[in-house]
Amino acid sequence: MAEPPSLPYARDEGSTSQPHSAYLAYPVEAYEPHEGFLDEMEEEHTEISAALQYWAAKRHRGKGKAKEDENDLSTMKSWRLKSKLKTVTAGLFICLNIGVDPPDIVKTNPCAKTECWIDPTQLPSNKAIEAIGRNLHQQFETLNPKVKYKPFLDPSIEETKKQCVNMRRSAKDERVVFYYNGHGVPKPTPSGEIWVFNKNYTQYIPVSLYDLQEWLGSPCIYVWECSGAGNILNNFAKSAERRDNEARAAQAQAGHAEGLPGSPYSEALHLAACQANQILPMSPDLPADLFTCCLTSPIETALRHFVLQDPLRRNGGLDPNDPRSRITVDMVMRIPGDLKDRRTPLGELSWIFTAVTDTIAWLSFPREVFNRLFRQDLLVAGLFRNFLLAQRIMSAYHCTPTSIPEIPSAHNHPLWHSWDLAVDACLAQLPELLDLEAAREAGQSNIPPLSVYRPSTFFAQHLQAFEVWLQHGGAVPNRLAPRPKKGVPIPRSPPEQLPIVLQVLLSQSHRLRALILISRFVDLGPWAVHLSLSIGIFPYVQKLLASPAVELKPVLIYIWARILAIDKSCQMDLLRDSGFTYFTQILAPYPQAGSLVIPNANEHRAMSAFILSILCRNFRVGQTACLGVQVFDSCVARLGEDDWLLKTWCLLCIAQLWADYDEAKALFMQSQRQNELLGALRSTAVEVRAAALYAFGTLLGASSAPIESTDAKGGGGTGAQLGLSDIQQLEIEAGLAFACMMSVKEDASPMVRKELVVVISCVVREWRGWLVSAAWAYYEQESYLSRTERQSNGTHIEEEEEDIVSEALKEWTSNEDKEPHEHQHNLTLLSSFKVLFETLLDLSVDPHTEVALMASTVVDYIIALLVDSAFTRVKGSAIRNLLKKHYSSNRPRTLSRQVSAAFSEGGKFPNGPLTNSTQLKPPQMQRSNTNVSETGSGSSTLKRSGSVANALRSLASMTGLVVSPDSPDSINSQKEKEKEFMKITQPKIPLSENSGGYKSPYPDHGHERILPSSPAPGPGPNGPSRSRSAYGSALPRSAVAGTGELVKASSVLEALTAEDMERLHFRRSKGSEANTDIDGRFGNNGLPRSNELGLGMVAKEVKDDVLPLRSGFFDWAMEYFREPQMKAPDADEPGSTTYNEQAWKHLRNEQMVEDSRAAEGYAATHVWNVEAGTLQNDSWPLQLAFHSYDPVIAVTDDADNVCIWDWQSKRRLNKFSNQNIPGSSISSVHFINEMASSLMLTASTEGSIRIFRDYETPNETALASTFRAVSETHPVAHSSGVLTAWEQQKGHLLVGGDMKVVRLWDATVERHLRDIATQAGANLTAIASDEPEGNVFVAGFGDGVVRLFDKRAEDAGEVVLRTWRQHKIWIQSVHLQRGSMRELVTGSMDGEVRVWDVRKPDEPLYTIPRRDEGLMALAVHTGASVLARTSALTSHSTRQELEITGFSDPLHPIRLAKLNLPTSPAYNNPLHSHRINGFMPSAASLVFHPVEMMIAAGGFDASGTVRLYKCPTPKSAIATWEQMNGNGSVSNFN
C-alpha cells in the first residue's frame, strides 16, 4: 500500500498563541508552546530569537472576518438547487412516412439517408420504422435508463393527443420529454404549428403549440428534429405566456394566492435542430437525423465528424505507414468497449467527452443556467451536454441549432482542441485493436485487444495544468480585468480545469491526486469553496465518506472542514448513512481500523472535531447522534494532546454537544470530568482557555447560536438534572462559575475575559436572587464603611451607625427551621456570589472596551433588579435613603437608573454627607450610546478606575449614564476641549464583528409595555409563595419610593433565595431543555407577565432577555478554516514585499548594531555636546522612548496623550490618546517587536497596560491588546505609578510600583505567570531587566534600597541575589549594562549616582556624590559606558543641568558634556502639581538611544521642548542614517 500523502499544510501562526519570527532561519514550531521553551533554544539562535513577535496574532489585528470583499459569503448565492425536477417519461414521436417525401423539401441526390444509424431503404418500410424506433429508444436509454421511453411511429393526430395526455397523467408534476422527428412531414409553419398524420396517412394534420401545451402540460422538454425548427421556438414563448396569464387569472378568480399552481409553461426547455430559415444538412456522408445522433450517440457522431474533418486526411498529409491512414468512417463505428466502462476506449472517450462539455458549459454559461441545465436532471444534463457537440458539428454544415433558454454558441471553444487531441490518440490505436480482435476471433491470437490499449493522458495533463494554476495563479486576481472602483473586488479568474478535476474523482487511479489538488484549491478561501460546491463537488465527497481507503482520509477531512466552515446546512447530509462516523473514528482516542498514520494527524483530528461541532450546533438530531458514539469521551481524552488547535476544537465540540441539551450535560455531571476541562483554563494557549470558558458557558445555559441569530435565546442553566439534588445543582452551577473566575479573572487576553463575562452572566440569570442579595450586602458594607470613616474624621452623622448586613445575616442564620450546616452553606454561597459580583465590577471597568461593555450589561441588570427589589423597604438601608432623596413622580421610568447611579457612589459624596441638600438635585442625565466606541466621545464613558472603590464612584458612567450635553455644566467644558481634541487621534477600539456590545436592562420602544398585577396569595401563611409575594414580587410605586411597609432584610434574603430555588424546581419539574423558554418571557418581548414565576426579580420595566450574554468566539474560531493554511505567510515567501522589507530591515539593523559597537569606545571618551535638533511637543514631556532602529521617538505628556516624532526630520507623525482614566497618566513606554512589526506598549498609573499597533499612522492607530496588570496597590505617601521592564527575548513584562510584589506577565501565553515578593518596606521606584538574557532584574525602592532578583528561583528566600543599602533616599533610576560588562548603575533623588560590579556588592566601582540640587533623571546608554543625569527643579530654578559622564574606566570617569536646559517658573511646573497629588513621575524624561550615540532630554519650558544631543563619532567608526537608507553624503563627523 502506498504511503499516505502528507498535505503541505503551513499552520497560520497568526492564529496560534505562538510568537512570530521575523526571520525565516528560525524554525517556527507548529504546536502549542510551553513555559520556558525559549530557554531550550541553542546559543546560536540568541540573535534570531530576539526578533520574536508578540501580540501579532489574528486576534490582535482586530476583526476576525476576512478583509477581502470577495470573501463576503452574503453575496454568494446558495449552491443547492431550489428544486430538483425529475424526468420520468418520454414520448418519441417519429413522423417519417418512409417512401413518401414531404412536399416542401427538395432532397439532393445522393442524400443523407440513415435514421438512428439505420438506412430505411435497405428494409421494408414497416420494419425499417420499427427498427428506427428501437434504435432511438436504445440511444435515449444511454442518457438515463430510468426514464420510461416509448416510441410512437408515424402517429396520427388522435394518437398524438392521447399519448401526450397519458404522459402528463403518469408524470404528474414531473418533467416529460417530447421528441419530435418531422423528416417525413412538412416543415413547421411560420406560426409554429407542427405536422402529424391522419388515420389513413392521406393528409398532414397541423398541431398548434397551444394544443400541444394543453396536452403535455408543464414542466416539459421538447426536442425538435426537423427543418425550420426555429419557427416553433419563436412562437412557443408567446403561447406559453398566454397560458400562464390565463392560469394566473383563474387562480385570482378562485380567490387563491397569486402565482401559478404548477410550473410555468414559459420555463419549458427546447432543443431545436436549426433556425427558422434553415434546412437540415443533406450530405450523404452524414446521417439524416444528425441532430438526434449528436444528442443521443455523441461519441460515434463526434468520431465520424473527426474522421470526415481531419485536415491531414483531407489534404493527403498522412504517411501511408501511419495507422491513422487506415481509419475509415465505418471503422470508428466499431470502436471496442462499453460506454459505462471507463477502462475501455469507448468508455474513456465518453468520460473525456463529459468532462470537456461540462467544462465548456461551466465556462460559457451563467451560473444559474449551468446549474439548472447540468445539475438538476441526468437526462436534461446529457441532452444539453450533447447539444454543445451539435453546435460544433452542425455549424460546420451551415446549420445553427437553437435552444430555450438561449445559450451562447460554444462551437469554437478552445477546449474542443483538447477533445480532438484525445480522439486522435485513441483512433491512432484503433486499427491495431481491430486487428487483434479479428485475429482473436480467427483463433490466431490469445492477446485481449484491450490489454494493449494505452489509456489517454487527457486527465493527467489537465491535473498538471490545474496544479500549475494553483502554484502560480491561485492567489492572483485577474490582472486583465479593468481596475474597479474603491470597495469593489477584482474578479478572480476561475481555473478552467475545475470541472475536469471533478470528473477525475470517478477514476480510482487519479482520485487521490485530484482530491489533493481540490483541497489545495478550497484552501484559497471561501470563494474557492463556493465555486467547488456550485460545480457539484458535494455529492462526490459525500459518497467518498463510505470509502475505506486510508489514504483518502486526510484529504477528505480537510475538504469537509472547508465546506462546513462555509455552509453549515450540510448537517443533515452528514447524518445520512452515518457519514459523520468517518470523523468520529479519526477523533477516537484509541487506534481503530483505518486510523490516521500521518505526521500531522492532530491537525486532522482538530478538523474532525470542528466538523462534529458544526454537526451538533443548534441541531438536536446531530447532538443525539454524536452522544451515541462517545464523541464526548473522545474529545475529553484528546485534551491531553499537546496541540492547541486540537484542544480548542475538542472543547468547542463539547460545547456544541451539550448546548441546550440536558442529556449531554447529565453525562458530564455523571462522568466527573470537571478537572480535565478546568485544567484547560490553565493552558498556555489563549484559544484553549477561551474555548474552555465557551464550553462552560454553554453548559451553564449560554446560547451556542451566532450573536445575530434570533433562534436560541439561551438560559436555563444546566437544565433539569434530575440525577442531582437541587442543592447539588446550585453548588455545581455557582461552583463552576467561581472556578472559572478564579482561574482567568486576571487573564491578559481580552478574548478570555469576554468569555468569562458570558459564563458569569449565565449564573446571574439563573441565580439572580443570590446575586441581588450579594450586591445589596456589598453596597451596604461599602456605605457603612464610608460613613464610619467620615464619622471617625469628625463629620457629623445624624443617624446612629449600625451594620445592617451583619445584623441581617445573623438573623437570617438564626432561623431554627434549618440545620446549622445549612446556614453555613448559605453564608458560603453568599460569599461566593459576592466575589462574583465584585469581579463583575472589576471587569466593567476593564481597559478593553468590549469587555467593559459586556460586564456593564450584567452589572446594570443586577443593579436594576436591586433597586426594584424589596431591599428598598429595609429600615436604615442606604438604598432606601437614596430612594427617598431621588424619587420623582414625574419621571418614574428613570427612577431606578438615577438611583443606581446615585447610589453607585457607595455613600461617598464629595460635598458632604447624605443629608446635604445640595445632593438632592442630580444633574440632567441621559443614557449614552455605550456601543459607540470608535471615537473619544463613546469611549470616554469607559475611562474608569480599576479598584473596586473607584469602580463604585464611577458606576454612573458604568451604567451608561453621562451628563447631558445640553446641561450648562457640560457646554463650556465641551467648547474648551473641542479645539485640542481635534488635534488628537483616538485609537481604534477593537470591537469585534461578533461583539454583543452593551444592552440596557430597561425596555425600549420595541417592547410591549405590561405592568404586572399582584400575584395570587400563596397556599399557606408560611409557604414559599407567600414569602415570594411579600418580599420578592413587583412592588407598588409607593414601595419603590421607600414609603411602603418596612420589612426585614433577613426576610428579603430568605425570599429571594427561596425564589431562586423555586425557579429551579420549576425547571426540574418540567424536565425542560435549557432553550425552551421555561419562563415564558421571550413570547412577551422579554417583559414579565403578571402570573409568572420570578416576577419579583424582574420588576416592572426590566428586560429579562438581556442575559445570558452571547459569545461570538465560536464564529471567530471558525474563521481559521476559512483562511489559507497551506500557503506560507507573505513574510515567509521569498520575493514578497513583506519578505523583502523584513530582509532589508534585518540587514539594516545588523549594520546599525555593528556600527554602534564599533563606536561605543569612542563615545565613552569624547564630547556629547553637539545638538541634534529640538522637538516642540506643545506639552510637558514626562516619558520619552526611542525606537532602536526606526528614526522614531515617543513622547508622552502629563495627561494621556502620546506623540510620535520622526527625530530625523523633526516632524510629528501622530498624536493619539492613551485612553486612560482622568487623573492618571502614562508612567512607562516601550517599543516591542522592534526587529519586525513594531508595537508600542504603555503603562498608566491606574494599572492598565495597552499595546498599540500602527502607532505612527494617524487614524490607523489601534489597540492590539490591553489588560490590567496591577490588581492591588498599597497606600504610600508618594506614588511611583506603574513601572515596567520589557524583555523582548523571553516576552516577559515586569510590572511594579506601589505594591509588595513585582508581577511577571508572559506575552507568549498572555497571562500572569507569578508574583515575586519585593521583600521591601517601601514602594518600588525603578526597575530594569538584564537584556538580552532576561534571567535577572534589578529594582530600586523608595527607602533607597536596591535589590537584584533572579526570576528563575522558585523559593522566595532565594529570589533576591544581592541587596545594596548605600543609598539613603528614593531611588530614581537603576540600569544594568548589557553584554559581558556586569555594571549596575543606580541613582537616588539626592543626586548620588553609584556604579557597581554586581559580582562585588560591597563597594561601588565609582560614586558621583550627592548634590544640593538633587537628581531629576538618570539615564545610561545600553552599550557605551556613558551615563547622563539632570538636576532636580526647585521653586527658584530657571535652568536645569544636564551632565554626561563616561565611565569606561570606573576609577577615572570623564565628564563628556555639561549643558543647561531652560525651565519655566515653578508655578507652571507639572512635577509640582504631581507631587501635590502624591504622584512622583518616573525618571524617563532623559533617555539614550539604544543604538545611536544620541540622547534626548525633556525640557520643562513653556513649549515642552525635547532636546537631542549626540556624540560626533568619526565615519570610520559609524555610518550615517542617510547612508544606510541609500542617500546622503558622508562627512567626517555625524
Side-chain angles (χ1 to χ4, degrees), residues 537-573:
I537 191 178
F538 188 75
Y540 291 85
V541 295
Q542 186 178 8
K543 289 178 182 177
L544 285 174
L545 289 181
S547 170
V550 176
E551 65 273 11
L552 298 183
K553 289 183 182 293
V555 205
L556 276 178
I557 293 170
Y558 194 90
I559 294 173
W560 266 98
R562 295 286 158 168
I563 291 175
L564 287 170
I566 302 305
D567 192 338
K568 295 177 280 293
S569 66
C570 304
Q571 293 170 317
M572 189 60 73
D573 302 287

Side-chain angles (χ1 to χ4, degrees), residues 1231-1242:
F1231 287 102
I1232 60 179
N1233 302 344
E1234 291 178 301
M1235 297 290 281
S1237 303
S1238 297
L1239 303 173
M1240 190 177 73
L1241 182 148
T1242 66

